[in-house]
Each structure stands twice: as C-alpha cells, then as structure tokens.
Amino acid sequence: MTSSDTPPVPRHLPSGVHEAVRPGCALLRLETTESREGVLDGAWWPRSHDIGAELPALLSALIGHLGPVTRVGLDTAAWAGLPTRIVVDDRVVHIDSFPVGDDTVLITRRDKDLFSLLVVPPNATPEAARAAMAQAVRADNISQAEQILIDTGSGQDPSD
C-alpha cells in the first residue's frame, strides 16, 4: 500500500475528553494556522448566563493555550450587563458587541487571529452538551453553531 492509499486519520478528540465535559468547561480544537478547517474552533458550556461570572474563567483557560487574548465578541442581546472590557491575568481584554446570537463567542488573539466557539446553553442536559461540543470541535464540521444546537437538542429546556 502506498502512502497515497493510506486512509486519512480522523481528526477527532479522544473519547475520554468528552466524558469530562461538564458545565463551566470549554472543549477546544485550536489550530492557529490560516488553513484551519471546520466552521468552529471549539465549544464552551458556561454554568450560567452571568457573563461577569463566566467569562473570566473562559478567558484564563484560553490565554493558557493561546497567549494574550485582545478581544471577545458577544451579542449584547444574549448577555445581560455586557461590560466593555474585563481584566484577566493583569491584562485588559476588550469586549465588543457583535450580532452573533447567544450560540457563539468570538475570540481575537493579536490583530487578525479569530477563533469562533459554540456556546452551549447552561441549561442543556449533559448528553446534549457533550454531543454539541463534540460536533463543534470536529475538523470536518460544516454546521453553524445554531444548527448544532438544534441537531443535538442542546438549545431546548430540559423540562420541556
């Protein structure tokens, strides 16, 4: 078998990673090259809709992997009390309002290195959240955040 006959290796996260998914965590597939594939670079499952309480932990985790983050893009209609800036690890991170909906957060590193993360609603069931986050980090994902939440049932209230 020649190297061109070798089937491509799937680019998925190990199954054990998905078992650790819980409210307050992020699953990331961070490729920092221009040839990034997939619509989304990761997923975040905040514990609540309180952006002041949730965003610092996400940004600290991202800064640990990406280095300094300069901007965050969120939809003001989706998050109450959205500040214009936040200090994380002694650095100011600017928060911009973008009409991206409550299912997406945009992270900017340096001037033009943009990462797009799916936001799983805090009230999603663990099974639905795991499914949504797993889909978001697939390198071959072509679905937008809203469609992933619909497909996995993550956007539905568990009491319905």
Side-chain angles (χ1 to χ4, degrees):
M1 181 184 281
T2 67
S3 62
S4 62
D5 295 333
T6 305
V9 175
R11 295 174 53 198
H12 306 287
L13 294 174
S15 296
V17 170
H18 302 296
E19 297 305 315
V21 170
R22 63 192 180 288
C25 76
L27 246 165
L28 307 169
R29 179 182 49 79
L30 300 173
E31 296 180 44
T32 57
T33 65
E34 291 182 21
S35 64
R36 289 194 317 232
E37 297 176 26
V39 174
L40 298 162
D41 301 297
W44 175 43
W45 188 13
R47 291 181 182 97
S48 72
H49 289 287
D50 181 353
I51 196 65
E54 300 295 331
L55 194 56
L58 173 66
L59 292 176
S60 288
L62 289 173
I63 289 167
H65 292 284
L66 296 174
V69 170
T70 56
R71 304 191 98 67
V72 175
L74 293 162
D75 195 327
T76 54
W79 298 92
L82 194 63
T84 57
R85 69 183 68 108
I86 191 170
V87 177
V88 179
D89 297 341
D90 297 325
R91 292 182 173 264
V92 174
V93 178
H94 297 277
I95 300 175
D96 299 319
S97 176
F98 285 100
V100 293
D102 62 350
D103 54 24
T104 307
V105 61
L106 304 174
I107 306 293
T108 305
R109 181 183 72 160
R110 297 190 199 106
D111 291 336
K112 296 180 182 175
D113 202 359
L114 182 69
F115 298 90
S116 182
L117 306 180
L118 165 80
V119 178
V120 176
N123 61 347
T125 65
E127 298 78 20
R130 284 185 192 106
M133 295 175 89
Q135 177 65 30
V137 297
R138 288 179 54 123
D140 61 350
N141 172 51
I142 58 169
S143 297
Q144 297 291 333
E146 180 180 24
Q147 189 61 49
I148 291 172
L149 295 179
I150 291 168
D151 291 347
T152 61
S154 301
Q156 298 175 350
D157 188 332
S159 62
D160 287 348

